[in-house]
Structures are given as C-alpha cells and as structure tokens.
Amino acid sequence: MDTESTYSGYSYYSGRSRGSHRHGERSRDRHKSRSKDSRSEKSVTINTPPAEPLLGDTAVRGEQVQDDNWGETTTAITGTSEHSLSQEDIVRITKDLEDSVGLDCRRYFTRTLAIILGLLVFLTPLAFLVLPHILWPDKLQSCGTACEGLFISVAFKLLILLLAVWALFFRPARAGLPRVYVFRALLAVLVLLFVISYWLFYGVRILDSQDENYQGIVQYAVSLVDALLFIHYLAIVLLELRQLQPCYSVCVTRSTDGETRHYNLGQLSIQRAALAIIEHYYCDFPVHNPALLSASKSRAAKHLAGLKVYNVDGPGNNTAAGIAHSQSRAMIAAAARRRDTSHNELYYEEAEHERRVRKRRARLVVAVEEAFTHIKRMQEEEQKKAPGDVMDPREAAQAIFPSMARALQKYLRTTKQQHCHSMESIQQHLAFCITNNMTPKAFLESYLTPGPTVQYSRDFWRARQWTLISEASVTSGLKDGTIFLLKCVDFSLVVTSKKIPYIQMSEEYIDPKSHKFVLRLQSETSV
C-alpha cells in the first residue's frame, strides 16, 4: 500500500519527535479505518440480460455507494449459516402455525354450521309438503286450483330466499375476527328457534292427527317461507343498513411516524370497526418505511459516539467510583453543549438530503424520458418490419431497462425505497406502461410519490396477523372516547373515537320585498 508506506516512512524518520510520532499513528489509524470502511461497503448490482451491462461505464462506479441496498441484490457474509434458526425463531414459527391452524378450524367450523342451518331452512318447507304424501297418501283430500297456485308461490319464494341468502351470507370472508359477530349469531339462533317451533307444531297438529286437509298444510308451508323472508329482511337491516349512517369520527394514528387519518363510522362493534379501519389503512395510508425512521437514531448514536473522556490526573489518583462519576458528568455536559448546536446540524443535513434527492430525481427523469424516446423510435422501426419480427412489450422493457436502471437505483436508495421495489416488479410496471402507451411521467409516478400500502407486493405489505388491544369488550359498540390499538409486527395503529355532535339547524325567513329598492334621478337644470 503506497499510502501506508508513506506514513510509515514519515513516522520512522521523525521518530524522535513525539508530535510527529503521534501524527504518524493518527494517519495510519485513519488509513486503516478508511480501508476497513471501504471493504465493509456493499456493492449493489441489478441482474439484467448479459448482452447489455446495467451499470455502464466504470467511471460512474467511482461515485459514493450507500449502505442501503436492495434487499434482493444484497449479499451478507456472516459467520453463521444462511439457514440457521435460533430457539426464538422456532418458538415463533410454532406459535404462528398453531394460530393459523386454530383460525382455519374455526373458520371451517362456522361455515359448516351455516351450511347445515341453511339446508335445514330450505328443506323444511319441502318436507312439510312431501311427508303427508308419504305417510298417509290415501286420506289426503284432493288439491284444487288454489292449492296448486300455492305450489307456484312456494317455489318462487324459495328461489328468491335462496338468492337473497347467498348474496348476504355466502360472501368471501374478509377477515377472521377474534369474537363472534353478535347480530349474525342472534339471527342464526332466531332462525333455528323459529324452524324448531314450526316442526313442533307440525308434529303435534299434523303428523299425529294425520290431517286430511292438504290445502291447509300447503298454506302452513307458505307461512313458514313468508316468515323466513321477513327474517331475512331483518338481517339486512341489522347487518347492512344499521351501520350506514355515520355516528362516530375515529382518528387513526400510526405509532412510528405519526401518520394520521380520520374516518366516519356508523354503529359498529369494536372488532368490526377495527376491520373497517384496517381496510382503510391499506388503501389510504402511505406504505410504512422503517428506513426513514432510522435517521434520527443514527444521528443520536453518532453524537454520543463522538464523545470521549480523558483522565488528565493519571490512572492512580482517583478511585474507580470517582472516575465513573466524573466521566458521567463530563458526558452530560458535553451532550448539553452539543444539543445547543444540533439544530444547525439537522438543518444542514436535511438541506443536503433534499439537494441530493432533487439531483437524483432530475437524472432519473432525464434517463426515463430518453428511454421512452428510444421506445418510440423502436416502434416506428418495427412498423416497417414483418409481423414475426415485432418485439413484445416484455422484451422492449428488458431492452430499455438498463439505460435507466442505475439512475432509478440511486434515486430509490437516496429516498430509502429500495426495499419496496424489486427489479422484477419494476420491469413488469415498465412493460405495463409500454403496453398501454403511457407517458414517462405516468411510469415515474409510482417511484417519485409513495403510494398506498396495497399498491405494493403482497409479501411486503400484508401483515400476517393483527392484534386488537382494547380495555372494553371487542363485541361492545363504539362509544365516545373509546380507545383501542391495532398492533402488527413493525408498528401499531392507535384509534380514538369521538361521537359526531348533534346539529341543530334553524331557519331564518327573509321577505323578498325587502330586497326591492327605488332609484330616483333628479333632472339637471339648465345653466
């Protein structure tokens, strides 16, 4: 190493001077730390087709390389195996598997009960009509015109009830709630009691006595179907219409960065309100980026790491407790002095970061515009070619991607978004824009402006499980001042509800004649 030999020679020839010796040691330390840092930096590359290099010229590679790299292209070499698992990981994986098995079992059990209850409801009117023909067919009276018309009524009412039940209850499950839905359970119990009551009356008054009036039996079945239709109307009111009118305004705050949204909700239980808030969160909140939150922590660690305490009296003059006490007092005093000037450092750091972001953004915009201009030229040339030689959008995206990849990679690293976009997703988005003839601005909008959480890949944004933390019962309704937490792995949502106030409006009548006025003009006199 040339630099190291220079510093070594300097310290050798001036070894009799203490200051020169110290200067040589500091120079070697700086060089060692610089070489160590350069070795510890991670080099990031994007895998592209081998025909076209991604990073281009070697002269560009001398620019500053940051530590935040794309998660899919970073290789970390450590002392342990890549597939090693600790005891905590094994316990966590086991717990997740048990929770998933419990949720699946409960979901299938609930669905099985719903199917059994639905079959009981739809087969009961048919059984009321069929059993007399099976048990005492010789005693039944003939069914007249009115009785046959009731058959048509029962058939169409059952068909309407079947479609209505399918539309309301047999929808894909949106989530697994911690407790049972109270209104749905009450409706299921009401339907079960209603059908059992009809069966008891049918068994006592019709089966035991073997009633011969078949038209009365058909009317009894029609009354059951009518009652089931009314119960379904009650279910629509309780499950769908009751919650439409806004009654509460909820404030949702993300615990890590303080991002806040406000929503209006109706008469809902706490668990149903939590489900509605999570659905709104995925569509309204910007994606959670933990890399943006590490700046303040690194700044504080850098300030504390720069503090050193020296004992000028020598090692033997003070006791260990006295040295520790004096060092703590010195650290506190130095931190207080640094705190007075930390706002200047923060101001200049933010200004420098904004300047770098604007610079990288300008480079990215220019690179993307040039790439799309090249695409237009290629499309004009391909129109003159044979149909078999035309390039599809996927191949076109792979062809122009290397020209913009480095600028895009640098911009994403500067704005801490490199873990949100993989190379495959960027190429798919580029092919989508080429297919639909979109502009460069439309392509860049996904990267220049952070989008909602649901726009990113499912593996990135979808939390496996949310935990609802509430002092009140999760089946109780929302009230004024209700506070609960929705917690996932990286952050939590703090929800506070406020009741929408009662609005009193009054009317003030204005007489239309009060707006009329008369303009009187005086004639001018001759001079």
Side-chain angles (χ1 to χ4, degrees):
M1 289 270 219
D2 297 336
T3 309
E4 188 172 1
S5 60
T6 303
Y7 285 135
S8 301
Y10 178 82
S11 60
Y12 174 77
Y13 287 111
S14 58
R16 297 181 181 180
S17 173
R18 178 178 298 179
S20 301
H21 183 68
R22 290 179 179 176
H23 177 71
E25 289 180 351
R26 286 197 299 267
S27 302
R28 283 194 299 271
D29 293 339
R30 282 199 302 268
H31 176 72
K32 290 179 180 179
S33 62
R34 191 184 303 114
S35 60
K36 182 178 180 181
D37 293 340
S38 63
R39 287 193 301 270
S40 63
E41 288 178 347
K42 300 175 182 178
S43 177
V44 181
T45 57
I46 304 177
N47 297 325
T48 55
E52 302 186 20
L54 173 64
L55 299 181
D57 231 356
T58 56
V60 189
R61 300 179 187 177
E63 295 185 8
Q64 182 180 358
V65 181
Q66 300 180 5
D67 286 335
D68 341 316
N69 299 319
W70 287 6
E72 297 187 356
T73 57
T74 302
T75 304
I77 303 176
T78 59
T80 59
S81 173
E82 183 184 359
H83 303 285
S84 61
L85 290 176
S86 63
Q87 187 67 25
E88 297 178 355
D89 295 335
I90 296 176
V91 173
R92 178 176 53 80
I93 294 173
T94 306
K95 185 178 182 301
D96 292 342
L97 289 176
E98 292 176 355
D99 293 341
S100 62
V101 171
L103 289 174
D104 292 340
C105 291
R106 185 173 62 179
R107 186 191 311 165
Y108 291 131
F109 178 73
T110 305
R111 188 174 300 176
T112 303
L113 288 181
I115 292 174
I116 293 174
L117 182 60
L119 292 176
L120 178 63
V121 166
F122 284 103
L123 294 179
T124 295
L126 300 178
F128 287 172
L129 299 176
V130 172
L131 286 178
H133 285 285
I134 297 177
L135 298 180
W136 61 94
D138 299 334
K139 299 181 181 180
L140 289 177
Q141 299 177 0
S142 61
C143 185
T145 305
C147 179
E148 293 176 354
L150 290 177
F151 282 142
I152 300 176
S153 175
V154 169
F156 276 99
K157 287 179 180 179
L158 282 178
L159 178 61
I160 294 173
L161 183 62
L162 176 63
L163 295 177
V165 170
W166 170 79
L168 182 61
F169 293 103
F170 289 91
R171 290 179 289 186
R174 296 183 299 171
L177 299 179
R179 298 291 180 88
V180 68
Y181 192 8
V182 177
F183 285 131
R184 182 170 291 187
L186 289 178
L187 288 171
V189 172
L190 177 62
V191 170
L192 182 61
L193 293 178
F194 192 77
V195 173
I196 291 176
S197 302
Y198 262 76
W199 269 111
L200 291 176
F201 187 85
Y202 185 83
V204 173
R205 298 300 299 270
I206 297 177
L207 291 181
D208 289 348
S209 61
Q210 295 186 353
D211 192 358
E212 300 177 358
N213 186 9
Y214 189 68
Q215 183 176 355
I217 297 174
V218 174
Q219 290 179 347
Y220 184 72
V222 170
S223 66
L224 172 60
V225 178
D226 292 338
L228 291 175
L229 287 174
F230 280 110
I231 292 178
H232 186 270
Y233 173 73
L234 177 63
I236 294 176
V237 172
L238 292 179
L239 301 181
E240 300 294 332
L241 301 181
R242 181 174 176 268
Q243 64 191 20
L244 293 181
Q245 182 180 2
C247 297
Y248 298 94
S249 175
V250 294
C251 175
V252 185
T253 305
R254 191 157 56 187
S255 60
T256 52
D257 56 357
E259 192 75 28
T260 303
R261 295 290 186 276
H262 293 83
Y263 304 105
N264 290 337
L265 298 179
Q267 293 284 352
L268 293 172
S269 62
I270 293 179
Q271 62 177 359
R272 301 290 295 182
L275 176 59
I277 288 169
I278 292 175
E279 292 175 348
H280 284 301
Y281 168 79
Y282 284 137
C283 298
D284 296 342
F285 275 72
V287 64
H288 179 255
N289 194 349
L292 295 176
L293 306 175
S294 60
S296 59
K297 296 180 180 179
S298 62
R299 190 183 302 113
K302 180 180 68 175
H303 288 174
L304 292 178
L307 299 177
K308 294 183 179 180
V309 180
Y310 297 95
N311 184 15
V312 297
D313 295 330
N317 296 336
N318 298 324
T319 60
I323 292 175
H325 180 66
S326 62
Q327 288 183 356
S328 62
R329 290 179 58 187
M331 292 282 286
I332 294 173
R337 286 193 299 272
R338 287 207 169 197
R339 186 172 58 249
D340 296 337
T341 59
S342 60
H343 62 280
N344 291 330
E345 298 179 6
L346 176 61
Y347 171 77
Y348 287 113
E349 285 180 6
E350 291 182 352
E352 177 65 19
H353 178 70
E354 292 176 0
R355 186 192 66 81
R356 292 177 57 207
V357 169
R358 290 196 301 268
K359 181 180 177 182
R360 299 286 170 84
R361 175 173 177 154
R363 289 181 178 177
L364 175 60
V365 171
V366 171
V368 173
E369 288 179 353
E370 291 178 354
F372 272 75
T373 304
H374 181 62
I375 280 290
K376 291 182 179 179
R377 289 198 303 265
M378 292 173 59
Q379 289 177 350
E380 294 175 356
E381 294 176 359
E382 287 175 356
Q383 290 177 359
K384 304 176 183 178
K385 296 180 180 180
D389 299 334
V390 176
M391 184 181 299
D392 62 349
R394 179 67 178 176
E395 294 177 352
Q398 292 179 353
I400 68 169
F401 179 68
S403 62
M404 69 175 74
R406 184 163 181 81
L408 179 58
Q409 184 187 31
K410 283 191 173 185
Y411 178 80
L412 293 179
R413 289 191 309 188
T414 305
T415 56
K416 310 294 184 181
Q417 299 183 65
Q418 69 276 12
H419 62 286
C420 302
H421 305 279
S422 63
M423 186 187 67
E424 182 65 24
S425 66
I426 296 174
Q427 289 185 355
Q428 289 178 359
H429 181 56
L430 182 58
F432 173 78
C433 294
I434 295 173
T435 304
N436 296 278
N437 197 19
M438 301 173 72
T439 61
K441 185 177 180 180
F443 168 75
L444 287 173
E445 190 64 23
S446 300
Y447 310 106
L448 300 182
T449 304
T453 310
V454 74
Q455 295 296 328
Y456 296 87
S457 61
R458 178 171 297 186
D459 296 336
F460 176 75
W461 60 262
R462 175 161 292 181
R464 194 180 181 320
Q465 185 176 3
W466 289 82
T467 303
L468 175 59
I469 303 175
S470 174
E471 294 182 357
S473 175
V474 296
T475 56
S476 61
L478 284 177
K479 297 179 181 179
D480 188 15
T482 301
I483 299 175
F484 58 91
L485 261 67
L486 291 169
K487 190 176 182 181
C488 67
V489 179
D490 298 327
F491 59 91
S492 60
L493 300 177
V494 183
V495 183
T496 306
S497 66
K498 295 291 183 182
K499 187 176 180 60
I500 297 178
Y502 178 77
I503 301 173
Q504 179 68 36
M505 300 181 65
S506 60
E507 179 186 3
E508 182 180 355
Y509 176 73
I510 299 177
D511 188 5
K513 296 181 180 180
S514 63
H515 298 286
K516 294 181 180 181
F517 59 93
V518 178
L519 180 61
R520 294 179 180 180
L521 298 176
Q522 294 181 357
S523 60
E524 297 182 359
T525 58
S526 59
V527 179

